[in-house]
């Protein structure tokens, strides 16, 4: 027990062994840099045994939240995991770090949902039918959200609404397995792209609204879900939507019976929000 308590992870050890057997984002076999440490947007990376500092701004993992404030949020979870680890080492029954829902749920789930409820973006929460679906990462969360909304369309008698509208320039996960504007390996027959503002180009809201209205006139009856990013990540250099334009897009979609799903991963706690 004492040896375990004193053991520390060696953040100074060499990263000469390249992660060439890891397939993620780039071609398998590619040597990826190692993030040694981060403090908000200040990251230290290592590649070829050389370390350098850089500002992580606009990346999908960019963070503005760090230090004691982040530690305060993580503390309860850390203490829970620490107790579980100590019980496991002692050979005692331990609370679950994870468990399949067929076997129940971990006790901290209730505390998490109660804490989350105070931050929901609706004033009259008690009269709303809301739920929480937890996923491990963003792409799976988008898939789960789309699945839930398409099921709702079916319950409402709209089985013909099978399409998902995604913004041009959008990114909701690895292109080969996720919704989004990129499809390097095959055509994504379940999705259709709608016009959006483009980073680096002049934004004419009237033109975009006209284009979006024509898009809805042509495809509106087929679409079950409109997927929107209130703020883009690296695909659009962190570009936010003009506030009134995003609001009008959402209202126009809802008027056509389309359900709206906001991918707010870049707006979330610890990132730009």
């Amino acid at each position: 027990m004492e040896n375990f308590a004193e053991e520390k992870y060696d953040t100074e050890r060499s990263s000469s062994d390249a992660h060439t057997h890891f397939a993620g984002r780039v071609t398998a076999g590619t040597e990826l840099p190692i993030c040694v440490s981060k403090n908000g947007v200040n990251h230290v990376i290592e590649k070829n045994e050389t370390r350098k500092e850089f500002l992580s701004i606009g990346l999908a993992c960019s963070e503005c939240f760090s230090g004691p404030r982040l530690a305060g949020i993580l503390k309860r979870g850390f203490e829970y995991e620490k107790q579980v680890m100590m019980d496991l080492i002692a050979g005692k029954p331990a609370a679950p770090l994870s468990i399949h829902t067929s076997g129940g749920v971990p006790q901290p789930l209730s505390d998490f949902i109660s804490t989350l409820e105070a931050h929901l973006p609706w004033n009259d929460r008690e009269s709303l039918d809301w739920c929480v679906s937890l996923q491990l990462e963003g792409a799976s969360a988008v898939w789960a959200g789309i699945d839930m909304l398409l099921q709702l369309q079916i319950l409402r008698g709209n089985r013909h609404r099978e399409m998902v509208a995604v913004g041009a320039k959008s990114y909701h996960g690895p292109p080969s397995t996720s919704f989004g504007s990129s499809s390097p390996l095959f055509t994504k027959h379940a999705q259709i792209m709608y016009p959006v503002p483009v980073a680096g180009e002049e934004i004419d809201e009237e033109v975009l609204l006209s284009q979006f209205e024509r898009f809805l006139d042509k495809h509106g009856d087929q679409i079950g879900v409109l997927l929107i990013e209130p703020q883009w990540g690296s695909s659009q250099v962190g570009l936010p939507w003009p506030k009134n334009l995003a609001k009008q897009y959402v209202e126009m979609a809802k008027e056509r019976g389309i359900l709206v799903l906001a991918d707010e991963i870049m707006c979330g706690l610890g990132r730009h929000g």
Side-chain angles (χ1 to χ4, degrees):
M1 294 290 287
E2 292 180 358
N3 290 336
F4 169 78
E6 295 174 357
E7 183 180 351
K8 295 182 180 180
Y9 185 79
D10 183 9
T11 58
E12 298 298 324
R13 65 186 179 184
S14 172
S15 61
S16 57
D17 293 332
H19 295 160
T20 54
H21 293 286
F22 174 72
R25 195 172 189 88
V26 292
T27 306
T30 303
E31 181 179 356
L32 298 172
I34 293 176
C35 180
V36 178
S37 65
K38 56 184 182 179
N39 182 16
V41 297
N42 297 287
H43 286 206
V44 175
I45 64 169
E46 178 182 294
K47 189 171 184 180
N48 298 325
E49 299 186 359
T50 300
R51 295 188 179 189
K52 65 178 182 178
E53 298 183 16
F54 76 102
L55 296 180
S56 171
I57 301 175
L59 302 178
C61 62
S62 59
E63 298 175 353
C64 298
F65 202 68
S66 189
R69 292 181 299 167
L70 180 57
I73 290 176
L74 298 177
K75 183 178 180 181
R76 290 180 64 187
F78 172 76
E79 295 294 341
Y80 178 85
E81 292 185 359
K82 182 179 178 181
Q83 183 60 54
V84 170
M85 185 62 72
M86 302 305 275
D87 288 341
L88 290 172
I89 292 173
K92 299 178 181 179
L97 291 175
S98 63
I99 186 170
H100 195 279
T101 48
S102 62
V105 296
Q107 186 277 329
L109 178 62
S110 298
D111 293 339
F112 173 80
I113 293 178
S114 297
T115 302
L116 178 67
E117 183 175 8
H119 300 281
L120 295 178
W122 308 290
N123 293 326
D124 189 15
R125 292 189 291 271
E126 293 185 359
S127 65
L128 294 174
D129 182 12
W130 63 275
C131 65
V132 176
S133 175
L134 297 177
Q135 310 298 322
L136 287 177
E137 39 72 46
S140 298
V142 169
W143 271 98
I146 289 173
D147 182 77
M148 292 178 72
L149 293 183
L150 288 178
Q151 289 187 55
L152 184 56
Q153 289 284 24
I154 292 174
L155 290 173
R156 292 178 175 179
N158 299 321
R159 186 175 289 274
H160 63 285
R161 292 185 176 272
E162 297 179 336
M163 300 296 290
V164 177
V166 302
K169 305 292 183 182
S170 63
Y171 178 85
H172 302 284
S176 61
T177 57
S178 307
F179 287 89
S181 59
S182 299
S183 54
L185 300 181
F186 52 86
T187 301
K188 301 174 183 178
H189 297 289
Q191 72 173 30
I192 186 169
M193 285 187 284
Y194 61 87
V196 299
V198 177
E201 297 182 8
E202 182 179 353
I203 298 176
D204 189 322
E205 296 190 22
E206 293 300 322
V207 170
L208 283 168
L209 286 171
S210 178
Q211 293 175 346
F212 187 58
E213 185 170 21
R214 291 198 297 271
F215 169 84
L216 292 177
D217 288 341
K218 184 177 181 179
H219 304 288
D221 289 341
Q222 303 170 272
I223 299 171
V225 178
L226 179 84
L227 185 54
I228 187 171
E229 291 177 276
Q231 178 179 320
W232 283 276
S234 53
S235 65
Q236 287 256 61
V237 203
L239 178 73
W241 275 78
K243 179 179 178 180
N244 292 330
L245 183 63
K247 184 177 181 180
Q248 287 178 280
Y249 264 51
V250 169
E251 290 176 349
M252 291 168 66
K254 288 183 175 180
E255 288 173 358
R256 306 281 184 124
I258 299 170
L259 300 176
V260 178
L261 177 64
D263 181 354
E264 296 187 343
I265 192 65
M266 293 305 297
C267 305
L269 176 65
R271 297 199 172 183
H272 296 166

